[in-house]
PDB file of all heavy atoms in Angstrom:
ATOM      1  N   ALA A   1      21.541 -72.517  46.098  1.00  0.00           N
ATOM      2  CA  ALA A   1      21.145 -71.654  44.973  1.00  0.00           C
ATOM      3  C   ALA A   1      19.693 -71.216  45.054  1.00  0.00           C
ATOM      4  O   ALA A   1      19.057 -70.963  44.032  1.00  0.00           O
ATOM      5  CB  ALA A   1      21.399 -72.378  43.655  1.00  0.00           C
ATOM      6  N   SER A   2      19.151 -71.111  46.269  1.00  0.00           N
ATOM      7  CA  SER A   2      17.780 -70.669  46.478  1.00  0.00           C
ATOM      8  C   SER A   2      16.811 -71.496  45.634  1.00  0.00           C
ATOM      9  O   SER A   2      17.043 -72.680  45.392  1.00  0.00           O
ATOM     10  CB  SER A   2      17.664 -69.172  46.175  1.00  0.00           C
ATOM     11  OG  SER A   2      16.376 -68.686  46.513  1.00  0.00           O
ATOM     12  N   ASN A   3      15.733 -70.884  45.173  1.00  0.00           N
ATOM     13  CA  ASN A   3      14.740 -71.629  44.395  1.00  0.00           C
ATOM     14  C   ASN A   3      15.195 -71.901  42.965  1.00  0.00           C
ATOM     15  O   ASN A   3      14.526 -72.632  42.220  1.00  0.00           O
ATOM     16  CB  ASN A   3      13.407 -70.876  44.369  1.00  0.00           C
ATOM     17  CG  ASN A   3      13.531 -69.503  43.733  1.00  0.00           C
ATOM     18  OD1 ASN A   3      14.448 -68.754  44.068  1.00  0.00           O
ATOM     19  ND2 ASN A   3      12.624 -69.166  42.833  1.00  0.00           N
ATOM     20  N   ALA A   4      16.328 -71.344  42.560  1.00  0.00           N
ATOM     21  CA  ALA A   4      16.862 -71.619  41.222  1.00  0.00           C
ATOM     22  C   ALA A   4      17.453 -73.016  41.120  1.00  0.00           C
ATOM     23  O   ALA A   4      17.684 -73.521  40.020  1.00  0.00           O
ATOM     24  CB  ALA A   4      17.931 -70.579  40.869  1.00  0.00           C
ATOM     25  N   ILE A   5      17.659 -73.659  42.261  1.00  0.00           N
ATOM     26  CA  ILE A   5      18.349 -74.949  42.263  1.00  0.00           C
ATOM     27  C   ILE A   5      17.575 -76.012  41.494  1.00  0.00           C
ATOM     28  O   ILE A   5      18.170 -76.859  40.818  1.00  0.00           O
ATOM     29  CB  ILE A   5      18.628 -75.403  43.716  1.00  0.00           C
ATOM     30  CG1 ILE A   5      19.660 -76.532  43.736  1.00  0.00           C
ATOM     31  CG2 ILE A   5      17.357 -75.833  44.423  1.00  0.00           C
ATOM     32  CD1 ILE A   5      20.162 -76.855  45.126  1.00  0.00           C
ATOM     33  N   GLN A   6      16.256 -75.973  41.560  1.00  0.00           N
ATOM     34  CA  GLN A   6      15.469 -76.982  40.862  1.00  0.00           C
ATOM     35  C   GLN A   6      15.630 -76.865  39.346  1.00  0.00           C
ATOM     36  O   GLN A   6      15.586 -77.863  38.623  1.00  0.00           O
ATOM     37  CB  GLN A   6      13.994 -76.852  41.235  1.00  0.00           C
ATOM     38  CG  GLN A   6      13.346 -75.531  40.837  1.00  0.00           C
ATOM     39  CD  GLN A   6      11.994 -75.350  41.494  1.00  0.00           C
ATOM     40  OE1 GLN A   6      11.842 -75.510  42.702  1.00  0.00           O
ATOM     41  NE2 GLN A   6      11.000 -75.012  40.692  1.00  0.00           N
ATOM     42  N   HIS A   7      15.870 -75.650  38.847  1.00  0.00           N
ATOM     43  CA  HIS A   7      16.093 -75.463  37.420  1.00  0.00           C
ATOM     44  C   HIS A   7      17.473 -75.976  37.007  1.00  0.00           C
ATOM     45  O   HIS A   7      17.652 -76.447  35.878  1.00  0.00           O
ATOM     46  CB  HIS A   7      15.942 -73.989  37.062  1.00  0.00           C
ATOM     47  CG  HIS A   7      14.587 -73.423  37.372  1.00  0.00           C
ATOM     48  ND1 HIS A   7      13.435 -73.916  36.801  1.00  0.00           N
ATOM     49  CD2 HIS A   7      14.203 -72.420  38.214  1.00  0.00           C
ATOM     50  CE1 HIS A   7      12.389 -73.235  37.271  1.00  0.00           C
ATOM     51  NE2 HIS A   7      12.835 -72.336  38.128  1.00  0.00           N
ATOM     52  N   LEU A   8      18.428 -75.887  37.919  1.00  0.00           N
ATOM     53  CA  LEU A   8      19.758 -76.419  37.622  1.00  0.00           C
ATOM     54  C   LEU A   8      19.699 -77.930  37.467  1.00  0.00           C
ATOM     55  O   LEU A   8      20.378 -78.506  36.619  1.00  0.00           O
ATOM     56  CB  LEU A   8      20.741 -76.038  38.737  1.00  0.00           C
ATOM     57  CG  LEU A   8      20.985 -74.543  38.944  1.00  0.00           C
ATOM     58  CD1 LEU A   8      21.984 -74.330  40.074  1.00  0.00           C
ATOM     59  CD2 LEU A   8      21.485 -73.887  37.678  1.00  0.00           C
ATOM     60  N   TRP A   9      18.884 -78.575  38.292  1.00  0.00           N
ATOM     61  CA  TRP A   9      18.716 -80.035  38.176  1.00  0.00           C
ATOM     62  C   TRP A   9      18.126 -80.412  36.821  1.00  0.00           C
ATOM     63  O   TRP A   9      18.358 -81.509  36.317  1.00  0.00           O
ATOM     64  CB  TRP A   9      17.802 -80.554  39.284  1.00  0.00           C
ATOM     65  CG  TRP A   9      18.367 -80.385  40.657  1.00  0.00           C
ATOM     66  CD1 TRP A   9      19.683 -80.276  41.002  1.00  0.00           C
ATOM     67  CD2 TRP A   9      17.628 -80.306  41.879  1.00  0.00           C
ATOM     68  NE1 TRP A   9      19.818 -80.123  42.359  1.00  0.00           N
ATOM     69  CE2 TRP A   9      18.579 -80.143  42.924  1.00  0.00           C
ATOM     70  CE3 TRP A   9      16.281 -80.348  42.196  1.00  0.00           C
ATOM     71  CZ2 TRP A   9      18.194 -80.029  44.259  1.00  0.00           C
ATOM     72  CZ3 TRP A   9      15.897 -80.241  43.520  1.00  0.00           C
ATOM     73  CH2 TRP A   9      16.850 -80.090  44.546  1.00  0.00           C
ATOM     74  N   GLU A  10      17.357 -79.474  36.228  1.00  0.00           N
ATOM     75  CA  GLU A  10      16.722 -79.744  34.933  1.00  0.00           C
ATOM     76  C   GLU A  10      17.623 -79.372  33.763  1.00  0.00           C
ATOM     77  O   GLU A  10      17.228 -79.529  32.605  1.00  0.00           O
ATOM     78  CB  GLU A  10      15.404 -78.966  34.854  1.00  0.00           C
ATOM     79  CG  GLU A  10      14.371 -79.403  35.897  1.00  0.00           C
ATOM     80  CD  GLU A  10      13.215 -78.429  36.030  1.00  0.00           C
ATOM     81  OE1 GLU A  10      13.259 -77.375  35.348  1.00  0.00           O
ATOM     82  OE2 GLU A  10      12.291 -78.702  36.824  1.00  0.00           O
ATOM     83  N   GLY A  11      18.812 -78.867  34.054  1.00  0.00           N
ATOM     84  CA  GLY A  11      19.771 -78.595  33.002  1.00  0.00           C
ATOM     85  C   GLY A  11      19.891 -77.151  32.583  1.00  0.00           C
ATOM     86  O   GLY A  11      20.652 -76.830  31.659  1.00  0.00           O
ATOM     87  N   TYR A  12      19.171 -76.251  33.248  1.00  0.00           N
ATOM     88  CA  TYR A  12      19.234 -74.845  32.887  1.00  0.00           C
ATOM     89  C   TYR A  12      20.411 -74.153  33.563  1.00  0.00           C
ATOM     90  O   TYR A  12      21.021 -74.684  34.496  1.00  0.00           O
ATOM     91  CB  TYR A  12      17.927 -74.141  33.274  1.00  0.00           C
ATOM     92  CG  TYR A  12      16.730 -74.593  32.481  1.00  0.00           C
ATOM     93  CD1 TYR A  12      15.851 -75.549  32.990  1.00  0.00           C
ATOM     94  CD2 TYR A  12      16.469 -74.075  31.214  1.00  0.00           C
ATOM     95  CE1 TYR A  12      14.750 -75.986  32.274  1.00  0.00           C
ATOM     96  CE2 TYR A  12      15.371 -74.487  30.484  1.00  0.00           C
ATOM     97  CZ  TYR A  12      14.508 -75.446  31.016  1.00  0.00           C
ATOM     98  OH  TYR A  12      13.420 -75.871  30.298  1.00  0.00           O
ATOM     99  N   ASP A  13      20.712 -72.937  33.133  1.00  0.00           N
ATOM    100  CA  ASP A  13      21.760 -72.115  33.733  1.00  0.00           C
ATOM    101  C   ASP A  13      21.208 -71.373  34.945  1.00  0.00           C
ATOM    102  O   ASP A  13      19.991 -71.117  35.026  1.00  0.00           O
ATOM    103  CB  ASP A  13      22.310 -71.124  32.700  1.00  0.00           C
ATOM    104  CG  ASP A  13      23.450 -70.285  33.267  1.00  0.00           C
ATOM    105  OD1 ASP A  13      24.594 -70.786  33.291  1.00  0.00           O
ATOM    106  OD2 ASP A  13      23.184 -69.144  33.690  1.00  0.00           O
ATOM    107  N   LEU A  14      22.078 -71.026  35.851  1.00  0.00           N
ATOM    108  CA  LEU A  14      21.674 -70.349  37.081  1.00  0.00           C
ATOM    109  C   LEU A  14      20.894 -69.069  36.814  1.00  0.00           C
ATOM    110  O   LEU A  14      19.938 -68.737  37.520  1.00  0.00           O
ATOM    111  CB  LEU A  14      22.915 -70.023  37.930  1.00  0.00           C
ATOM    112  CG  LEU A  14      22.656 -69.301  39.251  1.00  0.00           C
ATOM    113  CD1 LEU A  14      21.942 -70.225  40.238  1.00  0.00           C
ATOM    114  CD2 LEU A  14      23.973 -68.825  39.861  1.00  0.00           C
ATOM    115  N   PHE A  15      21.265 -68.347  35.768  1.00  0.00           N
ATOM    116  CA  PHE A  15      20.667 -67.039  35.517  1.00  0.00           C
ATOM    117  C   PHE A  15      19.560 -67.076  34.467  1.00  0.00           C
ATOM    118  O   PHE A  15      19.116 -66.038  33.983  1.00  0.00           O
ATOM    119  CB  PHE A  15      21.764 -66.048  35.118  1.00  0.00           C
ATOM    120  CG  PHE A  15      22.803 -65.857  36.190  1.00  0.00           C
ATOM    121  CD1 PHE A  15      24.013 -66.532  36.128  1.00  0.00           C
ATOM    122  CD2 PHE A  15      22.553 -65.040  37.280  1.00  0.00           C
ATOM    123  CE1 PHE A  15      24.971 -66.372  37.123  1.00  0.00           C
ATOM    124  CE2 PHE A  15      23.492 -64.874  38.283  1.00  0.00           C
ATOM    125  CZ  PHE A  15      24.713 -65.544  38.207  1.00  0.00           C
ATOM    126  N   ASP A  16      19.101 -68.276  34.109  1.00  0.00           N
ATOM    127  CA  ASP A  16      17.985 -68.397  33.172  1.00  0.00           C
ATOM    128  C   ASP A  16      16.651 -68.066  33.831  1.00  0.00           C
ATOM    129  O   ASP A  16      15.669 -67.776  33.143  1.00  0.00           O
ATOM    130  CB  ASP A  16      17.917 -69.821  32.598  1.00  0.00           C
ATOM    131  CG  ASP A  16      19.009 -70.099  31.590  1.00  0.00           C
ATOM    132  OD1 ASP A  16      19.627 -69.124  31.100  1.00  0.00           O
ATOM    133  OD2 ASP A  16      19.262 -71.284  31.290  1.00  0.00           O
ATOM    134  N   PHE A  17      16.615 -68.135  35.164  1.00  0.00           N
ATOM    135  CA  PHE A  17      15.374 -67.897  35.887  1.00  0.00           C
ATOM    136  C   PHE A  17      15.634 -66.935  37.054  1.00  0.00           C
ATOM    137  O   PHE A  17      16.720 -66.937  37.633  1.00  0.00           O
ATOM    138  CB  PHE A  17      14.812 -69.215  36.433  1.00  0.00           C
ATOM    139  CG  PHE A  17      14.414 -70.202  35.376  1.00  0.00           C
ATOM    140  CD1 PHE A  17      15.338 -71.108  34.872  1.00  0.00           C
ATOM    141  CD2 PHE A  17      13.121 -70.221  34.881  1.00  0.00           C
ATOM    142  CE1 PHE A  17      14.977 -72.020  33.905  1.00  0.00           C
ATOM    143  CE2 PHE A  17      12.749 -71.128  33.906  1.00  0.00           C
ATOM    144  CZ  PHE A  17      13.668 -72.029  33.406  1.00  0.00           C
ATOM    145  N   PRO A  18      14.642 -66.130  37.396  1.00  0.00           N
ATOM    146  CA  PRO A  18      14.807 -65.246  38.557  1.00  0.00           C
ATOM    147  C   PRO A  18      14.886 -66.053  39.842  1.00  0.00           C
ATOM    148  O   PRO A  18      14.235 -67.098  39.976  1.00  0.00           O
ATOM    149  CB  PRO A  18      13.545 -64.371  38.516  1.00  0.00           C
ATOM    150  CG  PRO A  18      12.542 -65.196  37.770  1.00  0.00           C
ATOM    151  CD  PRO A  18      13.327 -65.966  36.751  1.00  0.00           C
ATOM    152  N   SER A  19      15.691 -65.594  40.772  1.00  0.00           N
ATOM    153  CA  SER A  19      15.847 -66.273  42.051  1.00  0.00           C
ATOM    154  C   SER A  19      15.210 -65.446  43.152  1.00  0.00           C
ATOM    155  O   SER A  19      15.247 -64.204  43.122  1.00  0.00           O
ATOM    156  CB  SER A  19      17.341 -66.476  42.347  1.00  0.00           C
ATOM    157  OG  SER A  19      17.519 -67.063  43.613  1.00  0.00           O
ATOM    158  N   GLU A  20      14.637 -66.135  44.128  1.00  0.00           N
ATOM    159  CA  GLU A  20      13.999 -65.435  45.239  1.00  0.00           C
ATOM    160  C   GLU A  20      14.997 -64.566  45.981  1.00  0.00           C
ATOM    161  O   GLU A  20      14.678 -63.450  46.405  1.00  0.00           O
ATOM    162  CB  GLU A  20      13.371 -66.443  46.201  1.00  0.00           C
ATOM    163  CG  GLU A  20      12.674 -65.790  47.386  1.00  0.00           C
ATOM    164  CD  GLU A  20      12.157 -66.789  48.403  1.00  0.00           C
ATOM    165  OE1 GLU A  20      12.504 -67.984  48.297  1.00  0.00           O
ATOM    166  OE2 GLU A  20      11.409 -66.369  49.303  1.00  0.00           O
ATOM    167  N   ILE A  21      16.207 -65.078  46.158  1.00  0.00           N
ATOM    168  CA  ILE A  21      17.254 -64.325  46.843  1.00  0.00           C
ATOM    169  C   ILE A  21      18.582 -64.500  46.100  1.00  0.00           C
ATOM    170  O   ILE A  21      18.737 -65.409  45.289  1.00  0.00           O
ATOM    171  CB  ILE A  21      17.436 -64.799  48.305  1.00  0.00           C
ATOM    172  CG1 ILE A  21      17.767 -66.296  48.338  1.00  0.00           C
ATOM    173  CG2 ILE A  21      16.233 -64.460  49.158  1.00  0.00           C
ATOM    174  CD1 ILE A  21      18.206 -66.806  49.698  1.00  0.00           C
ATOM    175  N   GLU A  22      19.504 -63.641  46.403  1.00  0.00           N
ATOM    176  CA  GLU A  22      20.852 -63.767  45.862  1.00  0.00           C
ATOM    177  C   GLU A  22      21.628 -64.722  46.767  1.00  0.00           C
ATOM    178  O   GLU A  22      22.057 -64.359  47.858  1.00  0.00           O
ATOM    179  CB  GLU A  22      21.529 -62.392  45.804  1.00  0.00           C
ATOM    180  CG  GLU A  22      22.851 -62.404  45.067  1.00  0.00           C
ATOM    181  CD  GLU A  22      23.457 -61.017  44.946  1.00  0.00           C
ATOM    182  OE1 GLU A  22      23.277 -60.193  45.872  1.00  0.00           O
ATOM    183  OE2 GLU A  22      24.121 -60.747  43.931  1.00  0.00           O
ATOM    184  N   SER A  23      21.776 -65.945  46.311  1.00  0.00           N
ATOM    185  CA  SER A  23      22.379 -66.995  47.114  1.00  0.00           C
ATOM    186  C   SER A  23      23.897 -66.972  47.037  1.00  0.00           C
ATOM    187  O   SER A  23      24.490 -66.173  46.306  1.00  0.00           O
ATOM    188  CB  SER A  23      21.873 -68.353  46.625  1.00  0.00           C
ATOM    189  OG  SER A  23      22.436 -68.639  45.344  1.00  0.00           O
ATOM    190  N   MET A  24      24.537 -67.912  47.750  1.00  0.00           N
ATOM    191  CA  MET A  24      25.997 -68.024  47.695  1.00  0.00           C
ATOM    192  C   MET A  24      26.476 -68.404  46.304  1.00  0.00           C
ATOM    193  O   MET A  24      27.516 -67.934  45.838  1.00  0.00           O
ATOM    194  CB  MET A  24      26.487 -69.043  48.718  1.00  0.00           C
ATOM    195  CG  MET A  24      26.529 -68.525  50.135  1.00  0.00           C
ATOM    196  SD  MET A  24      27.679 -67.144  50.375  1.00  0.00           S
ATOM    197  CE  MET A  24      29.264 -67.966  50.174  1.00  0.00           C
ATOM    198  N   THR A  25      25.723 -69.252  45.614  1.00  0.00           N
ATOM    199  CA  THR A  25      26.116 -69.612  44.252  1.00  0.00           C
ATOM    200  C   THR A  25      26.058 -68.395  43.345  1.00  0.00           C
ATOM    201  O   THR A  25      26.946 -68.191  42.503  1.00  0.00           O
ATOM    202  CB  THR A  25      25.201 -70.725  43.705  1.00  0.00           C
ATOM    203  OG1 THR A  25      25.283 -71.859  44.565  1.00  0.00           O
ATOM    204  CG2 THR A  25      25.622 -71.134  42.303  1.00  0.00           C
ATOM    205  N   HIS A  26      25.030 -67.569  43.508  1.00  0.00           N
ATOM    206  CA  HIS A  26      24.946 -66.343  42.717  1.00  0.00           C
ATOM    207  C   HIS A  26      26.159 -65.450  42.984  1.00  0.00           C
ATOM    208  O   HIS A  26      26.750 -64.891  42.051  1.00  0.00           O
ATOM    209  CB  HIS A  26      23.663 -65.584  43.052  1.00  0.00           C
ATOM    210  CG  HIS A  26      22.411 -66.232  42.523  1.00  0.00           C
ATOM    211  ND1 HIS A  26      21.733 -67.201  43.223  1.00  0.00           N
ATOM    212  CD2 HIS A  26      21.742 -66.048  41.361  1.00  0.00           C
ATOM    213  CE1 HIS A  26      20.682 -67.588  42.514  1.00  0.00           C
ATOM    214  NE2 HIS A  26      20.660 -66.905  41.377  1.00  0.00           N
ATOM    215  N   LEU A  27      26.529 -65.324  44.246  1.00  0.00           N
ATOM    216  CA  LEU A  27      27.674 -64.480  44.589  1.00  0.00           C
ATOM    217  C   LEU A  27      28.952 -64.989  43.940  1.00  0.00           C
ATOM    218  O   LEU A  27      29.771 -64.206  43.436  1.00  0.00           O
ATOM    219  CB  LEU A  27      27.852 -64.428  46.107  1.00  0.00           C
ATOM    220  CG  LEU A  27      26.777 -63.671  46.903  1.00  0.00           C
ATOM    221  CD1 LEU A  27      27.048 -63.806  48.400  1.00  0.00           C
ATOM    222  CD2 LEU A  27      26.732 -62.208  46.516  1.00  0.00           C
ATOM    223  N   LEU A  28      29.127 -66.315  43.945  1.00  0.00           N
ATOM    224  CA  LEU A  28      30.365 -66.900  43.435  1.00  0.00           C
ATOM    225  C   LEU A  28      30.406 -66.992  41.916  1.00  0.00           C
ATOM    226  O   LEU A  28      31.438 -67.341  41.343  1.00  0.00           O
ATOM    227  CB  LEU A  28      30.576 -68.285  44.050  1.00  0.00           C
ATOM    228  CG  LEU A  28      30.976 -68.267  45.523  1.00  0.00           C
ATOM    229  CD1 LEU A  28      30.918 -69.665  46.117  1.00  0.00           C
ATOM    230  CD2 LEU A  28      32.377 -67.687  45.693  1.00  0.00           C
ATOM    231  N   LYS A  29      29.291 -66.652  41.263  1.00  0.00           N
ATOM    232  CA  LYS A  29      29.269 -66.640  39.798  1.00  0.00           C
ATOM    233  C   LYS A  29      29.072 -65.240  39.238  1.00  0.00           C
ATOM    234  O   LYS A  29      28.687 -65.067  38.083  1.00  0.00           O
ATOM    235  CB  LYS A  29      28.177 -67.592  39.292  1.00  0.00           C
ATOM    236  CG  LYS A  29      28.481 -69.065  39.561  1.00  0.00           C
ATOM    237  CD  LYS A  29      27.579 -70.000  38.791  1.00  0.00           C
ATOM    238  CE  LYS A  29      28.025 -71.447  38.972  1.00  0.00           C
ATOM    239  NZ  LYS A  29      27.238 -72.402  38.142  1.00  0.00           N
ATOM    240  N   THR A  30      29.370 -64.243  40.070  1.00  0.00           N
ATOM    241  CA  THR A  30      29.289 -62.835  39.652  1.00  0.00           C
ATOM    242  C   THR A  30      30.570 -62.121  40.085  1.00  0.00           C
ATOM    243  O   THR A  30      31.370 -62.653  40.874  1.00  0.00           O
ATOM    244  CB  THR A  30      28.087 -62.135  40.306  1.00  0.00           C
ATOM    245  OG1 THR A  30      28.292 -62.094  41.739  1.00  0.00           O
ATOM    246  CG2 THR A  30      26.789 -62.867  40.003  1.00  0.00           C
ATOM    247  N   PRO A  31      30.792 -60.897  39.602  1.00  0.00           N
ATOM    248  CA  PRO A  31      31.982 -60.130  40.013  1.00  0.00           C
ATOM    249  C   PRO A  31      32.067 -59.866  41.515  1.00  0.00           C
ATOM    250  O   PRO A  31      33.128 -59.483  42.011  1.00  0.00           O
ATOM    251  CB  PRO A  31      31.823 -58.820  39.228  1.00  0.00           C
ATOM    252  CG  PRO A  31      31.023 -59.185  38.023  1.00  0.00           C
ATOM    253  CD  PRO A  31      30.048 -60.216  38.521  1.00  0.00           C
ATOM    254  N   LYS A  32      30.965 -60.076  42.241  1.00  0.00           N
ATOM    255  CA  LYS A  32      30.987 -59.841  43.685  1.00  0.00           C
ATOM    256  C   LYS A  32      31.985 -60.742  44.412  1.00  0.00           C
ATOM    257  O   LYS A  32      32.388 -60.447  45.530  1.00  0.00           O
ATOM    258  CB  LYS A  32      29.595 -60.049  44.277  1.00  0.00           C
ATOM    259  CG  LYS A  32      28.610 -58.929  43.956  1.00  0.00           C
ATOM    260  CD  LYS A  32      27.317 -59.095  44.736  1.00  0.00           C
ATOM    261  CE  LYS A  32      26.375 -57.939  44.496  1.00  0.00           C
ATOM    262  NZ  LYS A  32      25.128 -58.049  45.293  1.00  0.00           N
TER     263      LYS A  32
END
């Protein structure tokens, strides 16, 4: 989940913070 992963460990949602890149987790949690 790119640099967003550290926020997930803290309990936040994947899309609560901007990510450096569109990772595989981002792809699998969007219509893509």
Side-chain angles (χ1 to χ4, degrees):
S2 187
N3 61 313
I5 195 170
Q6 63 192 50
H7 300 300
L8 298 180
W9 295 336
E10 296 166 357
Y12 293 98
D13 183 82
L14 180 69
F15 299 99
D16 286 344
F17 296 88
S19 177
E20 180 185 10
I21 58 170
E22 189 176 33
S23 70
M24 282 297 291
T25 302
H26 288 87
L27 291 176
L28 288 170
K29 292 193 174 185
T30 65
K32 286 188 176 182

